[in-house]
Amino acid sequence: MADRAYARLKRDIIEARLRPGTVLSDSALAEQYEMSRTPVREAINNLRREGLVVVLPKRGTFVKPLDFGEIHDLYTLRTLVEPEAAVLASQRSTEGELTELEELSALSTDPDVEKLVLNERNSRLHVRIAELSGISLLATTVRAIHEEIERCLNLRRELGRPYKAVNHGRLVDAIMTRDEVVIRSTALSGIERARDHMMSVLTRHSGVAGESDS
């Protein structure tokens, strides 16, 4: 039950059904998830350790607000780790694994699928590239980065400004060339373009994004 509560609450946060700044009540969530309060409390504690939930003394427990500086820093971290993950993936992947990346890329831009699903597939593609680097800590880092970015993308969707990924095909094509210069350049340009779009939309809607005061 604790695992179920954790998975459900985490997806509700990442998919922006629980928006940044939302108060979390263990009793209300227990009723909604049809379980006791104990596994919900455990899920909240686990997500607090992961940084998706914050506890403010004398105020309560909340879905982590968006901090624009932190989001900007996440994209900076992406520029440091994802181009190298893509280079390593190009060097260490089999032909079958490269074909898998092509398939994931196509799934992440399918025009017939709702944006919520596309955003999850977007995360899955970037994490899979990191997994193919062969460095487990790198994959864990990229996964954590993209969980937060997926949350932001889903909030964009709620604000009526869904993000359309256009770089995935280019990135996978670059990885398949196995040319380090091309891979790094393609990865960096896609990350910078995504950062510019994200910051523009969230700044414009800062009143409803639930940003942090810090």
Side-chain angles (χ1 to χ4, degrees):
M1 292 299 288
D3 290 343
R4 177 183 156 201
Y6 168 82
R8 178 80 178 273
L9 181 55
K10 186 171 188 175
R11 288 315 306 175
D12 281 348
I13 292 172
I14 289 176
E15 294 179 1
R17 282 188 284 267
L18 292 170
R19 287 194 176 192
T22 299
V23 177
L24 295 178
S25 163
D26 56 6
S27 57
L29 288 170
E31 182 177 354
Q32 179 182 343
Y33 297 163
E34 298 182 335
M35 60 181 65
S36 71
R37 294 167 64 180
T38 299
V40 171
R41 287 196 194 112
E42 186 173 337
I44 289 173
N45 284 332
N46 287 336
L47 291 172
R48 178 180 57 80
R49 285 190 286 270
E50 291 184 18
L52 286 173
V53 169
V54 294
V55 177
L56 302 179
K58 300 182 180 179
R59 291 182 58 186
T61 302
F62 303 84
V63 175
K64 178 187 175 184
L66 295 185
D67 182 309
F68 290 170
E70 183 177 315
I71 294 168
H72 189 277
D73 288 345
L74 280 176
Y75 281 93
T76 298
L77 183 55
R78 287 189 68 190
T79 67
L80 297 174
V81 299
E82 291 192 34
E84 299 312 309
V87 167
L88 289 171
S90 76
Q91 297 169 345
R92 299 177 177 181
S93 297
T94 64
E95 291 301 321
E97 288 166 338
L98 291 177
T99 299
E100 178 192 355
L101 291 184
E102 284 189 302
E103 294 169 350
L104 287 173
S105 175
L107 287 172
S108 70
T109 56
D110 186 341
D112 297 323
V113 176
E114 65 172 318
K115 295 298 181 184
L116 191 72
V117 175
L118 291 181
N119 291 339
E120 183 178 6
R121 290 177 179 178
N122 170 73
S123 293
R124 191 187 315 161
L125 173 63
H126 289 288
V127 171
R128 185 57 181 149
I129 291 171
E131 288 174 343
L132 292 176
S133 74
I135 302 175
S136 59
L137 183 58
L138 179 55
T140 298
T141 300
V142 171
R143 182 178 292 105
I145 291 170
H146 278 278
E147 284 177 349
E148 183 67 1
I149 288 177
E150 185 182 347
R151 185 166 78 113
C152 293
L153 291 175
N154 285 323
L155 183 60
R156 285 183 55 148
R157 180 184 64 89
E158 291 292 319
L159 297 174
R161 291 294 302 276
Y163 176 68
K164 182 178 180 181
V166 296
N167 196 58
H168 289 166
R170 299 172 191 164
L171 178 58
V172 174
D173 286 345
I175 290 172
M176 295 186 75
T177 70
R178 303 187 192 270
D179 184 317
E180 294 185 20
V181 174
V182 172
I183 293 169
R184 289 191 180 97
S185 174
T186 303
L188 285 171
S189 65
I191 293 167
E192 292 297 347
R193 185 165 53 249
R195 170 161 45 191
D196 290 344
H197 288 317
M198 178 70 77
M199 299 308 295
S200 174
V201 171
L202 293 182
T203 300
R204 193 174 305 127
H205 293 86
S206 60
V208 282
E211 77 278 18
S212 171
D213 293 333
S214 61

